[in-house]
Amino acid sequence: MPELNPFTIAQQQLDLAAERLGLDPATHELLRWPQKELVVTIPLQMDDGQVKIFRGYRVHYNASRGPCKGGIRWHPNETIDTVRALAAWMTWKTATVDIPLGGAKGGVTCNPKELSEAEKQRLARGYIRAVADVLGVSKDIPAPDVYTTPQIMAWMMDEYETIAREHHPGVITGKPIPLGGSEGRGDAAARGGIYATREAAKALGIDLQGKTMAVQGFGNVGQHAALLGTEILGMKLVGVSDVYGGFYNPRGIDARQAAEHALKNGSLQGFKGGEPISSDGPLTLDVTALFPAALENVLTAENAGQVKAKICCELANGPTTPEAEAILHDKGIFIIPDVLANAGGVTVSYFEQVQNAYNFYWPKAEIHQRLDETMTRAFHGVYQMYQREKTTTRLAAYLVAVARVAEACKLRGWV
């Protein structure tokens, strides 16, 4: 199967919305491309004294609604097109939940599992030195993403402040709490998806209590989805996987034991909670709710026909190809699209920015309440569009988001 280009998919998704909205050609073309791209070369001295060269990226997709916002991924397969796509999706994500931010994304092509802690710190600081000119609380605010952590954000913030020679805690979000991080940020992406799943089930007339769920991808987001799905929704976790494989147990998997095992051992390998399945195994289990929480393009034309879930909550960015989406839609599977489903992360990052600006911090219960209100309002805005336009849920979310971004561009006189 040919390699799927995530940015081509992101442009196709926009094109559908632009046509439905009747956007003029200039606005449509403006929204098809990033406003700014930075590709950098980062020399890194390894622990053995050798110097290796890494490639880094930062993309500003659209800043019409506010400063750019988006995570930084460290991944061996990171490319400029992946970063472009993620920056586009972040633009639509912030607009879908209606927070005053634009979309950005960054990354470094590397395998962090092969780096020591000292090498990670030097890479984090080297990246910030390379892209510092485009960052700032009123320009672009990075955050953690795949294989980056609050500790890495702390190093990055410190390097930026060293360059700026003054405190700028709001220039990076997803920081540790003692350095100005927000309560509730760690599980925010998963928690927002769980709130959206709750609202979807209400709209569809499904009682989730005691029903089954499966999680594909067991990093930070997947672990919290498993924990919160059982805690908040009362669901039973029966399938879980990471890059090395997974487990299925129809009697139920203890989410906390699975998460603790993954945190202690770095993966689910060796977990005794069920019978082994493949990394993609959870995608086709007979469950009420499926949570793809790994990387893009895992639901494809090849496996979509085997998906049996009633609700698919896209906690990963771009996990469903257009061909797979058409199959799932025809099967009557309700997709909560990524630009809505995982927007809890950027929402609480926005809360962190606000708290940093005021130097006043909210308790965790208030963060959860504000996130619940934001996700619930956003879900129903998308659901009303979905019902009115009689289209897919993803196109409905895009109609909401693209209209907001296009209006901002017009008001600014860009088009």
Side-chain angles (χ1 to χ4, degrees):
M1 191 178 78
E3 189 73 20
L4 293 163
N5 185 315
F7 186 52
T8 300
I9 291 173
Q11 288 183 313
Q12 290 171 355
Q13 293 166 339
L14 168 68
D15 292 345
L16 290 172
E19 181 181 1
R20 192 76 168 243
L21 289 167
L23 290 188
D24 63 272
T27 303
H28 182 190
E29 187 66 12
L30 175 67
L31 298 184
R32 290 191 94 240
W33 298 97
Q35 291 182 311
K36 183 185 294 183
E37 297 182 351
L38 182 61
V39 180
V40 297
T41 302
I42 308 167
L44 178 66
Q45 184 171 32
M46 310 304 286
D47 290 343
D48 63 5
Q50 292 187 56
V51 174
K52 289 190 176 179
I53 308 301
F54 292 85
R55 206 77 161 146
Y57 315 91
R58 192 68 186 171
V59 171
H60 293 180
Y61 197 84
N62 189 284
S64 62
R65 285 172 44 85
C68 289
K69 185 85 186 79
I72 298 170
R73 305 203 323 174
W74 286 2
H75 196 274
N77 298 327
E78 200 68 29
T79 67
I80 186 63
D81 274 340
T82 305
V83 178
R84 285 169 174 160
L86 292 162
W89 290 327
M90 184 60 76
T91 302
W92 314 134
K93 195 178 300 183
T94 56
T96 298
V97 294
D98 203 16
I99 54 179
L101 296 170
K105 212 71 178 186
V108 177
T109 306
C110 69
N111 186 348
K113 295 183 179 181
E114 297 176 353
L115 300 176
S116 70
E117 284 300 293
E119 288 166 342
K120 288 178 184 178
Q121 178 171 178
R122 291 195 290 273
L123 181 59
R125 292 180 182 277
Y127 177 82
I128 290 299
R129 287 195 296 273
V131 305
D133 286 348
V134 304
L135 304 183
V137 292
S138 60
K139 293 192 289 187
D140 176 14
I141 305 97
D145 204 300
V146 173
Y147 292 137
T148 55
T149 63
Q151 176 60 75
I152 290 170
M153 295 304 108
W155 292 327
M156 289 184 173
M157 183 194 75
D158 182 70
E159 188 65 27
Y160 184 88
E161 291 187 339
T162 300
I163 294 167
R165 300 188 68 81
E166 59 185 349
H167 282 294
H168 282 281
V171 77
I172 302 268
T173 61
K175 305 180 295 293
I177 298 287
L179 295 183
S182 176
E183 293 281 0
R185 178 61 185 89
D187 69 6
R191 184 176 289 272
I194 293 297
Y195 291 151
T197 301
R198 179 197 66 202
E199 295 305 307
K202 287 180 187 176
L204 298 170
I206 299 172
D207 180 5
L208 294 177
Q209 186 70 36
K211 300 298 193 304
T212 53
M213 63 179 285
V215 178
Q216 186 260 345
F218 212 58
N220 176 64
V221 176
Q223 290 170 25
H224 282 115
L227 291 165
L228 296 172
T230 55
E231 176 188 320
I232 295 175
L233 304 179
M235 301 193 77
K236 179 169 69 172
L237 179 69
V238 297
V240 65
S241 73
D242 61 18
V243 67
Y244 300 105
F247 298 91
Y248 169 66
N249 188 338
R251 295 184 300 278
I253 295 170
D254 188 305
R256 188 156 301 281
Q257 287 182 8
E260 287 174 354
H261 180 94
L263 286 170
K264 180 180 178 181
N265 298 283
S267 77
L268 284 166
Q269 287 179 301
F271 183 61
K272 305 296 184 186
E275 64 180 76
I277 56 175
S278 70
S279 293
D280 291 339
L283 299 173
T284 54
L285 292 177
D286 188 0
V287 293
T288 301
L290 169 65
F291 297 89
L295 295 172
E296 59 275 355
N297 300 332
V298 297
L299 287 166
T300 66
E302 281 67 37
N303 61 11
Q306 303 166 54
V307 175
K308 304 174 186 69
K310 292 181 173 63
I311 298 171
C312 177
C313 178
E314 295 183 337
L315 291 179
N317 290 308
T320 310
T321 67
E323 296 79 12
E325 181 173 3
I327 295 169
L328 297 181
H329 182 69
D330 288 344
K331 285 167 63 78
I333 294 170
F334 188 89
I335 297 173
I336 307 175
D338 51 1
V339 294
L340 171 63
N342 65 42
V346 71
T347 300
V348 176
S349 275
Y350 167 60
F351 295 165
E352 185 174 330
Q353 287 177 244
V354 173
Q355 293 169 90
N356 290 156
Y358 280 92
N359 199 24
F360 181 83
Y361 294 83
W362 306 327
K364 185 181 289 187
E366 186 168 352
I367 298 287
H368 290 169
Q369 179 188 343
R370 289 176 182 271
L371 175 61
D372 195 344
E373 290 170 355
T374 300
M375 293 301 299
T376 299
R377 182 173 61 249
F379 174 85
H380 287 287
V382 170
Y383 189 71
Q384 286 165 15
M385 181 71 77
Y386 163 74
Q387 289 185 306
R388 189 175 80 215
E389 294 296 320
K390 295 179 171 52
T391 183
T392 66
T393 50
R394 188 180 319 280
L395 183 52
Y398 270 65
L399 292 175
V400 171
V402 173
R404 286 173 176 164
V405 177
E407 180 184 24
C409 291
K410 288 181 183 298
L411 289 169
R412 287 180 175 274
W414 291 356
V415 285

